């Protein structure tokens, strides 16, 4: 299962129509798979983007800056909000943390955020500095800092495509996700220095990420029955 399929299945289940993708020239690679018939509103924002960059796809907001902050400033000033936000950041801790915090601000209350590279398979691919090839960086650490630090968020991670984190503001959308990690585990996580997090993460990966297999993901989404209040919230979600 690929990252765009996670977005599509969630969006089809909940009737999402407004899609935002945050990426860089070396991440993302998903926009072409997001079909206009499912998402009449599709927006792609790219940072660290050279002035002459052109991959032949729609690119709505771009900046050469190493930070995505100028992109989000423009989005938030416009008042636009999205049902599905896909984040495939430059995989440093700072870039990922920024993308997640700002991405949640432009996400509708009943929307979903999907984050790529949350479950790197080995320490060699989890370096804080860019490496050519399969670089997951420390996106996993920033992802956990955000979701573990905010008890109001509902989250889990699909065990596919280097880990696709799923974050929801409304626990009513997927009530079957289950409980959050043990408080002691969370306390230990936040007590660690960033450089020491990967070994601890690798030992407790399933619990920290709330890891779900692809089959479990299908069952979770297909088995969800929306409450009347959630249906009303989805209908009332602000348009772009």
């Amino acid at each position: 299962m690929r990252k765009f399929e996670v977005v599509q299945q969630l969006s089809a289940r909940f009737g999402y129509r407004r899609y935002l993708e945050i990426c860089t020239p070396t991440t993302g690679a998903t926009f072409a798979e997001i079909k206009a018939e499912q998402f009449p509103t599709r927006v792609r924002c790219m940072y660290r983007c050279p002035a002459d960059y052109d991959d032949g796809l729609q690119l709505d907001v771009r900046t050469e800056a190493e930070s995505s902050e100028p992109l989000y400033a423009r989005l938030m000033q416009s008042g636009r909000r999205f049902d599905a936000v896909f984040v495939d950041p430059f995989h440093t801790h700072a870039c990922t943390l920024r993308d997640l915090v700002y991405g949640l601000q432009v996400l509708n209350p009943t929307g979903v955020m999907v984050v790529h590279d949350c479950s790197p398979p080995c320490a060699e691919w989890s370096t804080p500095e860019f490496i050519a090839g399969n670089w997951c960086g420390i996106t996993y650490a920033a992802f956990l800092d955000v979701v573990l630090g905010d008890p109001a968020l509902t989250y889990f991670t699909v065990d596919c495509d280097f880990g696709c984190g799923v974050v929801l503001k409304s626990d009513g959308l997927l009530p079957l996700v289950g409980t959050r990690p043990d408080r002691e585990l969370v306390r230990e996580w936040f007590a660690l220095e960033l450089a020491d997090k990967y070994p601890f993460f690798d030992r407790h990966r399933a619990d920290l990420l709330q890891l779900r297999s692809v089959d479990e993901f299908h069952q979770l989404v297909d088995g969800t029955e929306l409450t009347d209040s959630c249906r009303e919230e989805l209908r009332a979600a602000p348009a772009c």
Side-chain angles (χ1 to χ4, degrees), residues 22-42:
I22 300 293
C23 60
T24 74
T26 58
T27 64
T30 293
F31 197 78
E33 307 296 339
I34 302 299
K35 305 305 181 186
E37 55 266 28
Q38 183 168 3
F39 289 100
T41 298
R42 296 181 302 155

Side-chain angles (χ1 to χ4, degrees), residues 23-216:
C23 60
T24 74
T26 58
T27 64
T30 293
F31 197 78
E33 307 296 339
I34 302 299
K35 305 305 181 186
E37 55 266 28
Q38 183 168 3
F39 289 100
T41 298
R42 296 181 302 155
V43 175
R44 185 169 67 142
C45 298
M46 185 177 289
Y47 61 104
R48 303 178 63 92
C49 181
D52 60 352
Y53 180 83
D54 182 4
D55 61 0
L57 299 175
Q58 172 185 331
L59 185 50
D60 302 274
V61 188
R62 62 195 294 166
T63 180
E64 294 183 62
E66 294 189 4
S67 166
S68 60
E69 192 165 356
L71 306 179
Y72 285 110
R74 290 173 62 180
L75 284 175
M76 287 188 285
Q77 286 169 4
S78 72
R80 306 183 85 176
R81 296 294 181 268
F82 300 88
D83 304 320
V85 176
F86 173 68
V87 179
D88 200 347
F90 192 70
H91 298 308
T92 64
H93 188 272
C95 284
T96 303
L97 189 65
R98 185 183 299 113
D99 288 353
L100 299 188
V101 170
Y102 281 121
L104 285 168
Q105 292 185 44
V106 297
L107 182 67
N108 275 330
T110 53
V112 64
M113 174 185 286
V114 176
V115 187
H116 192 224
D117 289 308
C118 293
S119 186
C122 59
E124 290 75 17
W125 292 3
S126 303
T127 59
E129 298 83 21
F130 175 80
I131 57 172
N134 292 315
W135 181 55
C136 299
I138 46 180
T139 285
Y140 75 93
F143 173 75
L144 287 173
D145 283 349
V146 170
V147 296
L148 295 178
D150 187 348
L153 296 174
T154 297
Y155 82 95
F156 64 97
T157 306
V158 187
D159 192 12
C160 67
D161 206 353
F162 304 114
C164 294
V166 177
V167 187
L168 303 109
K169 292 180 176 180
S170 172
D171 59 3
L173 287 176
L174 288 174
L176 306 178
V177 168
T179 58
R180 295 172 64 84
D182 179 79
R183 289 183 180 180
E184 180 60 23
L185 192 65
V186 174
R187 187 198 65 77
E188 291 182 62
W189 168 262
F190 281 115
L192 291 167
E193 295 294 330
L194 185 58
D196 301 323
K197 283 186 182 289
Y198 187 84
F200 182 83
F201 164 78
D202 200 29
R203 289 196 304 274
H204 302 285
R205 179 189 304 261
D207 289 332
L208 286 168
L209 291 176
Q210 296 202 97
L211 210 57
R212 302 289 190 270
S213 69
V214 171
D215 285 344
E216 288 173 325

